[in-house]
Amino acid sequence: MTSSATIRRPASQRRIAFATIVGTTIEWYDFFIYATTAGLVFAQLFFQPAGEEIGVLLSFATVGISFLFRPLGAFLAGHFGDRIGRRAMLVLTLVLMGVATTLIGLLPTYAQIGIAAPILLLLLRILQGLSAGGEWGGAVLMAVEHAPANRRGRAGSWPQLGVPLGFLLASGMTALMTGVISPGDAYLAWGWRVPFLVSIVLIVVGFVIRRSVEESPVFTDLAKRGEQKQVPIVTLFRRHWYLVILAALVFAGNGTLGYMTTGGFLNRYAINVQSLDTTAVLLAASTGAVVWFFSTLLAGCLSDVIGRRNTFLIGFALQAAVVFPVFWLVDHAGLPGLYTGLVLISTSLGLTYGPLAAWYSEIFPASIRFSGVSITYAIGAVLGGAFAPMIAQMLLEATGTTAAVSGYLLTASLLGGIATLCLRDRSGIPLGSEHEAEQASGATMFSPRAAAKEFAEKR
């Protein structure tokens, strides 16, 4: 059983699925519209005095700096999520992200207010980072803790689907602006603002939907028992620091490759180095997001059958296999090569992303679970995604070849695979607070064998 609370009815589970997907899609649309736009025009709009090359690096740096604040957002959301509930933090993070995104759309450029423009841009990006750091943990726990034990992988993939959907929406909206509504100079003048301003409408929709969802049964049970930790973060790092590191490396292996696309590097490379049409590249990125969506859903379901660990190992093996061919395809096959490369990347990303929510939820004890999944995810994002586009751009400029970029991505994929081998599969472990002792042991290959054997016998 998921907890001592009754498993939610199918109708309620569908409502939870809808709420988590819609809310996460809106949240990540906001996050990705920044990265997409930064790769296209922020160097000209906010960092023009630095010159083209340095301006591009500074644009990608603002994408990465927000990741440094995701752990802080995860610390805060994790603390209060374990103290006052999952649902309240979901609503708060959604509103914070929407306000920051809308304000970016209203921000004056460097030509209008000088150095204040990039400073304000950075501050708003930091707010986006704080929100993104806190949002994911609440969304996945609402999905996984409501689900039957044999369907947690599928349920955990629901909020994960919001990431490719958010990227699809961001890429599609940008393509609409660059190709139809405000092509050419009009996009640079005002068209880039529209996707940011649209966020205010999306936030209202997400707010209403998320307010309608019931609190997680696991947290409800914790509250009834009065078993919330006073300072869950302290407990997390005192007793499970090694688990946080290993699980963060798992996500870092996914995120480093993922942010080649969502972070804007591959788009910019195809447009500026290979001279492909901007709108055509954005449409290719949108196609990749569709593939990522379905591979994520498939991986979540697959993990309910063959286990989280095995699904991840297949995904990391595929990631390692594609990182060199991807750039060769873009270099030698033009737009068809870009489409092929994005399909390969997106398929492997789904396999190492779809089962993540369920696996994270199953390796941390109930009383510190929100803190555990949020902080681990945020640290993984910093290690893997934060400065991946900037590092890739620096490697490209330093070496003049994408081979160094592919080597960087291969290293990250191998590290993710090694970390995966260090963790045990915990599919089906009871998530309720009455099983706290069982949840607190046996999550890694270095844990006592007795704990793992006892769990295997119970299953």
Side-chain angles (χ1 to χ4, degrees):
M1 293 182 64
T2 296
S3 73
S4 58
T6 304
I7 297 295
R8 294 295 187 259
R9 298 185 302 275
S12 178
Q13 290 176 17
R14 284 193 294 270
R15 185 168 64 251
I16 293 163
F18 179 70
T20 54
I21 291 173
V22 170
T24 308
T25 298
I26 294 170
E27 183 94 8
W28 287 100
Y29 163 80
D30 288 349
F31 199 74
F32 288 144
I33 200 66
Y34 184 99
T36 302
T37 310
L40 296 177
V41 297
F42 277 0
Q44 296 166 268
L45 294 172
F46 293 96
F47 303 102
Q48 188 175 17
E52 183 178 355
E53 289 188 1
I54 301 299
V56 171
L57 289 176
L58 290 173
S59 295
F60 283 142
T62 64
V63 174
I65 285 173
S66 71
F67 282 77
L68 299 181
F69 289 84
R70 286 174 69 169
L72 177 58
F75 271 81
L76 295 172
H79 175 80
F80 290 107
D82 283 326
R83 292 285 300 151
I84 65 175
R86 295 23 173 159
R87 189 178 70 164
M89 300 314 300
L90 276 179
V91 174
L92 179 61
T93 53
L94 184 71
V95 172
L96 178 62
M97 178 69 85
V99 169
T101 303
T102 303
L103 289 176
I104 290 173
L106 299 171
L107 198 61
T109 65
Y110 186 93
Q112 295 170 310
I113 61 171
I115 192 65
I119 292 174
L120 290 173
L121 180 70
L122 181 59
L123 290 175
L124 291 173
R125 183 58 176 171
I126 288 172
L127 289 181
Q128 283 190 320
L130 289 171
S131 173
E135 193 275 343
W136 187 80
V140 302
L141 292 187
M142 288 294 285
V144 174
E145 290 181 345
H146 276 97
N150 63 343
R151 294 184 181 177
R152 285 186 200 139
R154 185 184 70 172
S157 71
W158 296 334
Q160 304 294 77
L161 296 177
V163 180
L165 282 176
F167 183 55
L168 173 62
L169 192 59
S171 298
M173 180 62 113
T174 307
L176 181 65
M177 298 306 299
T178 61
V180 179
I181 297 176
S182 58
D185 291 339
Y187 179 72
L188 186 64
W190 59 269
W192 69 272
R193 298 181 182 275
V194 175
F196 290 92
L197 298 177
V198 166
S199 175
I200 193 67
V201 178
L202 299 178
I203 292 303
V204 173
V205 174
F207 178 83
V208 173
I209 292 172
R210 282 196 164 173
R211 286 278 296 173
S212 68
V213 177
E214 299 176 22
E215 180 58 87
S216 159
V218 172
F219 180 79
T220 301
D221 192 44
L222 277 169
K224 286 181 180 178
R225 293 167 174 263
E227 294 178 350
Q228 304 103 307
K229 298 291 185 184
Q230 290 298 316
V231 190
I233 294 169
V234 173
T235 303
L236 174 69
F237 282 101
R238 186 173 67 242
R239 299 181 183 176
H240 305 283
W241 61 269
Y242 53 90
L243 183 57
V244 171
I245 293 172
L246 288 173
L249 287 173
V250 170
F251 179 50
N254 165 279
T256 304
L257 179 60
Y259 277 93
M260 289 301 98
T261 54
T262 60
F265 173 79
L266 191 57
N267 289 356
R268 184 174 181 83
Y269 177 80
I271 294 167
N272 287 19
V273 178
Q274 296 303 321
S275 301
L276 299 182
D277 177 70
T278 299
T279 302
V281 169
L282 291 169
L283 291 174
S286 299
T287 301
V290 173
V291 176
W292 188 12
F293 174 92
F294 285 108
S295 64
T296 297
L297 180 60
L298 173 64
C301 297
L302 182 64
S303 75
D304 284 329
V305 179
I306 68 172
R308 325 292 180 221
R309 189 169 182 258
N310 289 337
T311 306
F312 265 95
L313 290 173
I314 294 171
F316 279 126
L318 183 56
Q319 280 190 202
V322 306
V323 292
F324 278 94
V326 161
F327 287 104
W328 186 91
L329 286 165
V330 177
D331 289 340
H332 295 89
L335 192 60
L338 176 63
Y339 270 89
T340 304
L342 285 169
V343 167
L344 291 173
I345 288 176
S346 300
T347 301
S348 63
L349 286 178
L351 289 169
T352 56
Y353 197 60
L356 188 70
W359 204 9
Y360 271 19
S361 299
E362 289 167 336
I363 63 177
F364 290 106
S367 62
I368 59 169
R369 187 170 294 138
F370 199 132
S371 296
V373 300
S374 297
I375 292 169
T376 301
Y377 186 84
I379 293 174
V382 172
L383 295 175
F387 297 103
M390 188 180 74
I391 291 171
Q393 184 69 28
M394 292 173 65
L395 289 171
L396 180 63
E397 292 178 4
T399 65
T401 174
T402 56
V405 180
S406 295
Y408 166 55
L409 299 178
L410 176 62
T411 301
S413 297
L414 293 176
L415 286 174
I418 292 170
T420 298
L421 290 171
C422 293
L423 296 173
R424 286 200 173 100
D425 195 294
R426 309 255 285 182
S427 303
I429 188 173
L431 298 184
S433 59
E434 64 271 32
H435 298 281
E436 183 99 4
E438 183 178 351
Q439 297 159 6
S441 63
T444 72
M445 298 301 291
F446 314 112
S447 303
R449 281 285 177 182
K453 182 179 180 182
E454 180 183 358
F455 173 52
E457 291 173 351
K458 288 184 179 181
R459 290 185 61 192

